[in-house]
Structure formats: C-alpha cells, structure tokens
Amino acid sequence: MTAPAERRPAGPSPARPAPAGAADESLAKAGKAGKAGEAGEAGRAAAGRLGAGAWTALVVVYVVWGSTYLAIRIAVETMPSFLSAAARFLTAGLLLAGFVAVRHGRAGLRVDLRQLGSAALVGLLLLTGGNGLVVLGETSVPSGLAALLVAAVPLWMVLLTAAGGERPERAELAGVLLGLVGLAVLSAPAIGGSIAPAGVVAISCATLTWAIGSFAGKRIRMPGNVFASSAYQMLAGGLGNLLIGLARGEERGLRPGDVSTRSWLALAFLVVFGSLVAFTAYAWLLRSAPLTLVATYAYVNPVVAVLLGWLVLAEPLTGPTLLGGAVVVAGVCLVVSASRRSGRPSARRSARKAAREPVGEPVREPAREPVGEPARESAQG
C-alpha cells in the first residue's frame, strides 16, 4: 500500500525555497559532466598516438638490434655460443643493476618475490630461449638469414594476442601478412643455398620462445622500475645461458687468449648497445606501445642486417633484396598506422575511466611504490 497523499489547500502551491547550496550543486554537476567529456576526449586522443620517447625507442631497437646479428656472427667465430651469450647478459645485467643502485639507491632495486619471479621467467624466455638459440643457430647460419628467420616473431605475437582475447585489427593482420611476403622475397635467394637444418630449427624455436616471453611480459606483474626489470631479466637470462653452456661442455678447451680481438669487440658492442641500450628500450616499449607495433622490429632488423652485410661484407644488393625490403617497409607502415588508430586496449580503458572520474574532487592517484619504481599497469609487464 502507498501512503495517502497529504492534503494541500486549493490554488497554486507556494514556491518552496531552494535548499542552501542546491544551485551550486547543480552547477557543479554540470561542470563535472562537461569536464568529464573533455577528459574522455583527451584520453581517447592520447590513446591513438605515441610520444617522441616511444618513436625514439623504436628507432633504437630497429637499428641497433639489426646490427647485433652481424656482431653475434663475429663473436661466435672464436667464442662458444651459450657462454658468449652468458658473458654478454651477466655483464650487462650487473652494470645496469649498478646504475640503478647509484641513481635510486636500494629502493630502486627493491622488488617482491612475485615481481622477481616474473622478471626471471621473462628473462629466461627472451634471453636464454630466444637469444641463446639465435646465437647457437648463427654458428652455422649466416647472420642475414638468421635475421630473416627471426622476423617470424610478429606472426607468433599476433596469434598469441588473438588467443589472449585481444582481437587484432584487420589492417594489422594485413600488415603482418604483407611483411611475411616481403621476407619470403628476401629469403628466397638465401634458402636456395646449403644451410644447416639444425641451425634453422634452433632459430625457429627461438622466435617462438621470444614471442611467448614478450607476450607474457605485457600481462604479468613485473618490477615497476624498467631499468631494474631489465637488469633482473638479463641476470636471469645470463644464468640460464651459463648453465646450458656448462651442460654442453663449452668451457672445455676454452682459453681467453684464443679469442680474437674482433670477437672481443663484437661482445663489447653486444653488451653496451645490444643489451644496455636496445634491450632496455625494448623492455620499456613492451609497457608503453602496442605489442603488434613493437613486433615490427623483426621486419626492420632483416633490412638493416642486409644493408650492413652490403656495407661491411660487400654483399651484393640484388633485385629481390631491394624488392623484398620495400615490401617489408610497406608492411611495417601498415601495422604502425593501424596501431596508432586503434590505440592500446589499456589506453582505451583509461580514457573511459577518465570520463567517469568525478571532476572537482582531488584526483585519486595510484598507490605509490618505493622511489625509483613508478606505478605499473596491471595488465602488462
């Protein structure tokens, strides 16, 4: 039952005075709605573009990692494969950890067990399963062909992304397929020669483990400080390579005096530029850019490797090489444009959250981690 209506005298009802502050409350609500809309528009605009830092990191990964195939090939001329990879990553990991400790103190390296385990897992997948197998394969496979085989990484990444429930854009899939066509044109002359099957299999397995590591690094809880995260990954990957090298007996008969000067220089280049600079840039990109965009490095690296082979080793630039390189670049442009239009799912979620955030109240910031460990997105590494 409903309560009976209260009797009122006939005639127009007297106007009731508005409660104190009601007008101000109405204006505040209108302001909130308008500002929320502006915040949503700004968030959506930010989701569709990348900053200068992301493009700089991409260029570093494009160029530096394209040159590491040549450096690895020179290093393994007189160095054992897994032990050379172990020396590279253990040295780089210790140097980077020292840099973080000097700049941020102990707080910069402080992580919990879950973060440490995640970093170790990603490091083993990327640097032991991924890079270690590439180094092993390059003992019998030319550096240019190795780079071409590694270019299968974006295909694995797109498939893993789709399996994770994030449906790729059609333009991204088209860019991947176009890039693979270009790589097929690039690799056709090389595949026609005599190549050791074991090396090809090792590098092919490396592409899968690298893709899995990159996919996992975006979805598990990693250390908040990107430099500390890279340091822990390199230390874990270096230890993994060391254990495999010792298990294979690579230390037997190894004498540092037998290592050539060019191999030492190649190893130094790999430590400084391949690991400290490029790998840290890659780790930062995994949390700051779309995965399909990050994966395009595997399309550009073969082009850089071919050009370096032409400049350093005087390898001829044939018609198929030029044609394949042009197709690869076209595929990269397609993936990049599609990624910029769509934006990251996490960015779109942030834009929607900004649109719902009450305006006029203090902005609620995420809980701060220790100094040197900026807050991370929970959906990625």
Side-chain angles (χ1 to χ4, degrees), residues 222-311:
M222 301 282 285
N225 188 315
V226 67
F227 295 107
S229 178
S230 297
Y232 288 128
Q233 290 177 54
M234 287 190 281
L235 290 174
L239 287 175
N241 283 315
L242 177 62
L243 293 176
I244 293 178
L246 294 176
R248 298 178 74 240
E250 292 184 352
E251 79 284 1
R252 297 170 190 165
L254 175 63
R255 292 181 296 183
D258 295 336
V259 178
S260 66
T261 301
R262 59 190 264 131
S263 290
W264 283 118
L265 291 175
L267 181 61
F269 176 85
L270 291 170
V271 169
V272 176
F273 295 99
S275 296
L276 289 176
V277 177
F279 183 75
T280 301
Y282 181 78
W284 182 81
L285 281 170
L286 284 180
R287 65 177 69 185
S288 305
L291 186 60
T292 49
L293 174 58
V294 178
T296 58
Y297 81 90
Y299 288 163
V300 181
N301 285 173
V303 178
V304 174
V306 170
L307 290 176
L308 285 177
W310 172 63
L311 292 172

Side-chain angles (χ1 to χ4, degrees), residues 106-325:
R106 293 183 179 180
L109 294 171
R110 189 177 299 129
V111 294
D112 57 35
L113 289 177
R114 181 180 176 184
Q115 291 173 323
L116 183 61
S118 298
L121 173 63
V122 173
L124 289 171
L125 288 170
L126 292 179
L127 304 179
T128 302
N131 188 271
L133 288 175
V134 169
V135 175
L136 177 63
E138 284 204 45
T139 59
S140 58
V141 173
S143 60
L145 179 58
L148 294 171
L149 293 171
V150 171
V153 168
L155 178 60
W156 290 117
M157 284 188 173
V158 170
L159 294 177
L160 289 171
T161 300
E166 297 180 16
R167 186 175 181 180
E169 298 287 334
R170 292 183 179 180
E172 291 174 324
L173 293 175
V176 169
L177 295 177
L178 184 60
L180 291 177
V181 170
L183 292 172
V185 176
L186 275 173
S187 60
I191 294 177
S194 57
I195 301 297
V200 174
V201 172
I203 296 175
S204 299
C205 292
T207 63
L208 178 58
T209 56
W210 185 276
I212 294 174
S214 299
F215 182 79
K218 288 185 72 71
R219 285 160 175 76
I220 59 179
R221 186 168 175 261
M222 301 282 285
N225 188 315
V226 67
F227 295 107
S229 178
S230 297
Y232 288 128
Q233 290 177 54
M234 287 190 281
L235 290 174
L239 287 175
N241 283 315
L242 177 62
L243 293 176
I244 293 178
L246 294 176
R248 298 178 74 240
E250 292 184 352
E251 79 284 1
R252 297 170 190 165
L254 175 63
R255 292 181 296 183
D258 295 336
V259 178
S260 66
T261 301
R262 59 190 264 131
S263 290
W264 283 118
L265 291 175
L267 181 61
F269 176 85
L270 291 170
V271 169
V272 176
F273 295 99
S275 296
L276 289 176
V277 177
F279 183 75
T280 301
Y282 181 78
W284 182 81
L285 281 170
L286 284 180
R287 65 177 69 185
S288 305
L291 186 60
T292 49
L293 174 58
V294 178
T296 58
Y297 81 90
Y299 288 163
V300 181
N301 285 173
V303 178
V304 174
V306 170
L307 290 176
L308 285 177
W310 172 63
L311 292 172
V312 178
L313 304 177
E315 296 176 348
L317 282 177
T318 62
T321 299
L322 295 175
L323 176 61

